[in-house]
């Protein structure tokens, strides 16, 4: 079965020192890189046929940004397009990432399946491809989801993966969450919808 690793939002603004930091985010970046290094070297671990990443990339997301955020539907400004905060973290090895799916340019977007990867056509135009279409086009049947944050974008991406018909696993040891309460609620939701959960997430408290 063709398998892909989906790396969700491992960006500077979601790691310590960033605008909307998740504790342990930098550790998650390094752990994902270690997983991919073992895979590449033929060592023990999970083999991935494809690796893709998602990226929060806000231009003008409206009410998603707020100076008085409720941290449910509104958040402090983060991952602005073209900013250092929007970049994938330096500790994340991107050498095997085949496509990056940007989301949230003009509205709130949590799931990587809301994003698109833009490529230049032979005619010089641009072609946007959604994550589900990209995965199907590469024969992927199974996805493993990792990244940030467990209780928000990882959760939303995994749920959409199941809805799109992919066999879906979240590797919790390669995620980090914001709070115990919201992570536990997210895990219950994922189990209820048929997502396989492996390991334990990093928690802030």
């Amino acid at each position: 079965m063709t398998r892909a690793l989906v790396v969700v939002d491992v960006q500077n603004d979601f790691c310590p020192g960033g605008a909307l930091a998740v504790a342990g985010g930098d550790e998650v970046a390094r752990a994902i890189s270690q997983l991919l290094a073992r895979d590449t070297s033929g060592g023990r671990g999970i083999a991935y046929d494809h690796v893709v990443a998602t990226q929060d990339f806000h231009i003008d997301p409206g009410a998603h940004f707020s100076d008085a955020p409720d941290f449910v539907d509104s958040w402090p400004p983060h991952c602005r397009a073209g900013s250092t905060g929007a970049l994938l973290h330096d500790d994340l090895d991107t050498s095997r990432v085949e496509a990056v799916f940007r989301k949230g340019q003009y509205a709130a977007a949590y799931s990587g399946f809301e994003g698109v990867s833009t490529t230049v056509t032979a005619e010089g135009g641009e072609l946007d491809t959604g994550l589900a279409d990209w995965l199907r086009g590469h024969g992927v049947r199974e996805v493993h989801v990792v990244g940030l944050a467990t209780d928000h974008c990882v959760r939303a991406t995994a749920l959409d993966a199941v809805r799109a018909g992919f066999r879906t696993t979240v590797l919790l040891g390669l995620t980090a969450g914001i709070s115990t309460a919201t992570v536990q609620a997210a895990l219950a939701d994922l189990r209820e919808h048929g997502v396989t959960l492996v390991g334990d997430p990093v928690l802030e408290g």
Side-chain angles (χ1 to χ4, degrees):
M1 182 179 292
T2 302
R3 180 187 295 126
L5 182 70
V6 179
V7 181
V8 176
D9 295 3
V10 182
Q11 297 168 253
N12 291 328
D13 267 349
F14 295 136
C15 291
L20 199 54
V22 180
D26 48 354
E27 297 172 16
V28 167
R30 290 189 287 271
I32 294 169
S33 296
Q34 290 167 2
L35 171 70
L36 291 173
R38 289 196 301 272
D39 185 28
T40 302
S41 67
R44 295 183 61 187
I46 303 165
Y48 293 106
D49 302 287
H50 301 285
V51 180
V52 298
T54 73
Q55 184 182 24
D56 238 19
F57 203 73
H58 297 304
I59 297 172
D60 182 14
H64 186 61
F65 281 178
S66 174
D67 293 330
D70 61 16
F71 296 93
V72 176
D73 298 309
S74 60
W75 307 85
H78 59 277
C79 296
R80 293 184 182 274
S83 71
T84 300
L87 297 176
L88 298 176
H89 196 277
D90 283 345
D91 287 340
L92 177 68
D93 181 2
T94 59
S95 62
R96 287 192 57 195
V97 174
E98 299 170 60
V100 176
F101 296 83
R102 290 177 169 175
K103 58 187 175 65
Q105 284 90 331
Y106 297 100
Y110 297 91
S111 168
F113 285 83
E114 298 175 82
V116 296
S117 176
T118 303
T119 56
V120 178
T121 67
E123 295 76 24
E126 292 185 345
L127 176 66
D128 289 339
T129 304
L131 179 54
D133 287 340
W134 192 97
L135 293 170
R136 293 188 187 109
H138 288 78
V140 173
R141 300 285 301 279
E142 179 182 3
V143 298
H144 287 185
V145 182
V146 299
L148 306 172
T150 317
D151 33 357
H152 293 284
C153 295
V154 168
R155 169 189 169 275
T157 300
L159 289 175
D160 275 353
V162 167
R163 294 185 186 112
F166 299 101
R167 180 178 176 181
T168 305
T169 298
V170 176
L171 304 180
L172 293 174
L174 301 180
T175 72
I178 293 174
S179 75
T180 299
T182 53
V183 167
Q184 293 305 320
L187 300 188
D189 194 17
L190 291 168
R191 289 190 190 96
E192 181 180 347
H193 287 85
V195 176
T196 300
L197 304 177
V198 176
D200 298 306
V202 176
L203 293 174
E204 179 174 325

